[in-house]
């Protein structure tokens, strides 16, 4: 057990369903084996009585959403946010302001479009946001934005059981059956295969899942299909909607380079450590399309999830330690500079040599002549700090 993990405390805050699905006890056991303390956080009790924490892992999506209409949830979120702001040394996976955009499809799909502008290798199907009324009110926009039938309708809210209720719409008539707030997106044929990319810090893992089958492009007389996304794209999903009508070859998975570009682009746009992105390969163009981004997803099919998560935490702890060290060094340096300036002032007054007796940290005592001292504090801000930070 490395000695530096001793006494470090990892707090977590997950609902019962998430703990059970992840088998989170396995993660707790792994952490304890490596010398960490692990504490389950009870948001109803004062946080300062439960810590101190070095790391907090959470999925507070339910509470964040509830906080917009429930004063009790609002208070709990405020208290949590105030606590982590009071102790900025806590490593939070992930910060609440970074999580929020992924709970709203309007925001997350805008992010996907930005990604397409920045890197024209990662596409996302065209869509229209519906703020009020029914889909009928969006007909003009649908044509204007170049959307093509069939359309897939998704709720604006991206988290929670009802957020997975979707509709496949085959004609303008069908648009009358869906209500705002929702998003209408072109359906893209992709041979019923979904590539789920699960991200943990700088690592990512790709798993294959079933997905919706192909449909003829353009308007048709078909009636709309209402479905739950968890019935089509979970590992165990078994639905007539995922059975292809024609025999086709399996699509070629997106290349490592494309997946890597999508992950890097999203990681820097989102500022999250734990997220997932769903990719499909457009049957017509062969382009890789991002169709969904999720905060702290299930990582089902990723046996390395716990070790990747703990490795990521250890990398962050180490990097915090280095930054803290550099700060101490910088403080010592400025203090020494001040002492030196005082001495120089005194020397010029008394016109005599003066030795402070203390050695600045950059003087290597094993050498006969001291290394030249840096000339000003910019040495640290420009050289030492960036070097330390860039290593992490
Ligand atoms: N534009 C699209 N074209 C083709 N199929 C799509 C498209 N968007 C979604 N799908 C299909 O619908 C399913 C659900 O869509 P999406 O991933 O957006 O829903 P979700 O409920 O947010 O999923 P998750 O459980 O991953 O959060 C996908 O797994 C895929 O099979
Ligand atoms: O983490 P939760 O339990 O809340 O559910 C998440 C679910 O994971 P799980 O079904 O394995 O648990 C995820 O599935 P995968 O992408 O991993 O397939 C995905 O559907 C998220 O959108 C869900 O988040 P929510 O809709 O709740 O925001
Ligand atoms: Mg999805
Ligand atoms: Mg989703």
């Amino acid at each position: 057990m490395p000695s530096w993990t001793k006494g470090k405390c990892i707090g977590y805050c997950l609902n019962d369903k998430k703990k059970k699905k992840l088998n989170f006890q396995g993660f707790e056991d792994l952490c304890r084996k490596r010398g960490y303390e692990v504490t389950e956080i009870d948001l109803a009790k004062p946080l300062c009585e439960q810590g101190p924490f070095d790391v907090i892992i959470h999925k507070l999506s339910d509470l964040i959403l509830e906080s917009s209409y429930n004063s009790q949830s609002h208070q709990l979120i405020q208290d949590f946010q105030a606590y982590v702001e009071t102790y900025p040394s806590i490593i939070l996976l992930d910060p609440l302001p970074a999580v929020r955009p992924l709970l709203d499809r309007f925001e997350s799909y805008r992010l996907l479009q930005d990604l397409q502008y920045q890197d024209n290798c990662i596409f996302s199907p065209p869509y229209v946001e519906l703020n009020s009324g029914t889909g009928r009110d969006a007909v003009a926009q649908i044509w204007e934005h170049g959307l093509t039938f069939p359309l897939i309708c998704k709720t604006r809210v991206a988290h929670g059981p009802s957020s997975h209720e979707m509709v496949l719409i085959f004609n303008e008539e069908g648009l009358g059956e869906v209500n705002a707030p929702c998003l209408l997106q072109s359906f893209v044929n992709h041979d019923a295969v979904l590539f789920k990319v699960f991200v943990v810090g700088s690592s990512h893992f790709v798993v294959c899942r079933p997905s919706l089958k192909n449909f003829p492009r353009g308007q048709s007389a078909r009636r709309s299909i209402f479905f739950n996304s968890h019935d089509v794209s979970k590992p165990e999903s078994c639905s007539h909607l995922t059975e292809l009508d024609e025999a086709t070859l399996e699509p070629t998975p997106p290349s490592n380079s494309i997946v890597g570009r999508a992950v890097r682009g999203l990681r820097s746009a989102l500022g999250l450590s734990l997220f997932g992105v769903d990719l499909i390969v457009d049957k017509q163009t062969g382009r890789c399309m991002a169709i969904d981004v999720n905060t702290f997803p299930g990582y089902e099919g990723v046996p390395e999830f716990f070790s990747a998560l703990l490795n990521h935490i250890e990398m962050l702890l180490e990097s915090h330690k280095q930054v803290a060290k550099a700060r101490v060094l910088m403080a010592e340096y400025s203090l020494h500079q001040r002492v030196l300036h005082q001495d120089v002032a005194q020397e010029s007054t008394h016109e005599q040599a003066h030795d402070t007796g203390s050695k600045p940290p950059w003087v290597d005592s094993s050498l006969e002549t001291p290394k030249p001292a840096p000339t000003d504090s910019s040495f640290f801000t420009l050289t030492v700090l960036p070097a330390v930070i860039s290593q992490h």
Side-chain angles (χ1 to χ4, degrees), residues 173-391:
E173 195 90 321
L175 287 170
E177 295 174 291
V178 297
N179 295 304
C182 65
L183 180 143
L184 296 158
Q185 186 181 50
S186 289
F187 180 85
V188 174
N189 283 330
H190 54 281
D191 287 336
V193 180
L194 178 73
F195 299 96
K196 274 204 168 269
V197 184
F198 292 118
V199 180
V200 188
S202 57
S203 311
H204 64 265
F205 307 87
V206 184
V207 305
C208 261
R209 290 273 179 92
S211 192
L212 289 174
K213 67 178 184 178
N214 301 330
F215 291 97
R217 214 171 127 122
Q219 289 204 64
S220 67
R222 269 185 110 124
R223 295 192 62 178
S224 300
I225 300 173
F226 292 76
F227 69 101
N228 185 303
S229 67
H230 285 188
D231 293 334
V232 299
S233 288
K234 286 291 175 193
E236 66 285 358
S237 296
C238 176
S239 159
H240 65 283
L241 291 175
T242 63
E243 279 165 27
L244 286 167
D245 297 327
E246 69 291 339
T248 37
L249 291 173
E250 287 261 302
T252 316
S255 68
N256 290 342
S257 138
I258 296 250
V259 175
R261 279 159 79 162
V263 168
R264 277 192 297 278
L266 282 169
R267 196 191 288 122
S268 82
L270 295 167
L272 290 172
S273 290
L274 302 175
F275 67 94
V277 54
D278 293 349
L279 303 177
I280 55 175
V281 179
D282 184 343
K283 185 177 173 65
Q284 201 186 343
T285 61
R287 286 171 170 176
C288 176
M289 297 263 179
I291 54 158
D292 185 28
V293 195
N294 298 311
T295 171
F296 201 159
Y299 295 93
E300 212 172 337
V302 183
E304 308 93 327
F305 173 55
F306 289 163
S307 54
L309 179 56
L310 191 49
N311 287 346
H312 179 59
I313 287 174
E314 296 198 322
M315 188 277 294
L316 293 172
L317 283 168
E318 179 60 26
S319 132
H320 270 224
K321 199 172 80 179
Q322 295 299 335
V323 171
K325 254 192 199 166
R327 285 211 179 103
V328 169
L329 210 58
M330 201 160 143
E332 277 179 18
Y333 172 75
S334 341
L335 188 69
H336 189 85
Q337 280 292 95
R338 252 181 277 144
V339 172
L340 213 63
H341 281 135
Q342 274 172 13
D343 289 349
V344 169
Q346 277 173 13
E347 267 175 26
S348 59
T349 314
H350 303 296
E351 288 182 358
Q352 63 183 50
H354 187 84
D355 181 11
T356 63
S358 66
K359 279 201 179 92
W362 57 88
V363 174
D364 185 341
S365 53
S366 66
L367 300 173
E368 284 193 357
T369 42
K371 290 177 205 160
T375 49
D376 59 44
S377 64
S378 62
F379 171 77
F380 274 95
T381 29
L382 296 175
T383 315
V384 177
L385 261 185
V388 168
I389 290 163
S390 73
Q391 283 172 22

